[in-house]
Amino acid sequence: MRAVLALFLGLLAAPALAAEPGASDWFETEQGRVRLLAASPTELGLEFDLAPGWKIYWRAPGDAGYPPSVDWTGSDNLQSAEILWPAPHRFSIFGLDTVGYEGKVVLPIAARPADAAAPVRLEARLDYLTCREICIPYQAELSVDGTSPSWSGLLATWRAKVPGNDGPLRIDGARLR
């Protein structure tokens, strides 16, 4: 009995599993999860893993909703950060046409440190809306201290899906910008 109690108390005292290098802990809900990634001080991303049927919105959501937004207050050595928007999907529900993402998606972020020679510590307050037949707003606190080049490939894959400035983006024949 003492051995079982000692094991139980030891487990309680064990540290929580740390986030992967260059990534925040996951913010998890019943509708999915999200985390912040940092491959370098200039290559960041928001990785969403949404439950089946749930979606988030694009920068111009359509008839309803609002896109994810980030407040970087509290970050160290971050001059600017801009979400880059991969090409979205079109959704129709209850007569409303919306534009966004489902499943797994990474929103790349182009960042610029204030001092390229100094480290960057990221504190992000993410506001986003996840929807199915109803919409649920969330606010996630995500932080990353350090970077990991292991995220570069994933971020490059999603960055390649960001439309260029070579004309209006069209999905299913509809002009989106």
Side-chain angles (χ1 to χ4, degrees), residues 22-26 33-48 56 68 70 72 78 81-86 105-111 122 124 126 142-144 146-148 151-152 154-156 158-159:
S24 70
D25 290 328
W26 286 102
R33 59 190 188 158
V34 62
R35 68 180 171 177
L36 178 62
L37 305 175
S40 75
T42 60
E43 294 178 283
L44 311 176
L46 289 168
E47 181 181 18
F48 288 86
I56 59 168
V70 182
W72 297 99
L78 184 64
E82 176 188 359
I83 295 176
L84 306 177
W85 301 93
V105 63
V106 175
L107 302 179
I109 299 170
L122 302 169
L126 169 66
L142 307 170
S143 62
V144 175
T147 62
S148 174
W151 301 115
S152 290
L154 178 65
L155 293 174
W158 284 93
R159 204 174 181 130

Side-chain angles (χ1 to χ4, degrees), residues 53 55 57 63-64 90-99 131-135:
K55 67 178 185 265
Y57 290 103
D63 292 338
R90 191 173 185 190
F91 303 97
S92 292
I93 186 167
F94 303 124
L96 299 173
D97 290 326
T98 60
V99 184
C131 298
R132 193 172 185 168
E133 287 85 25
I134 61 164
C135 292

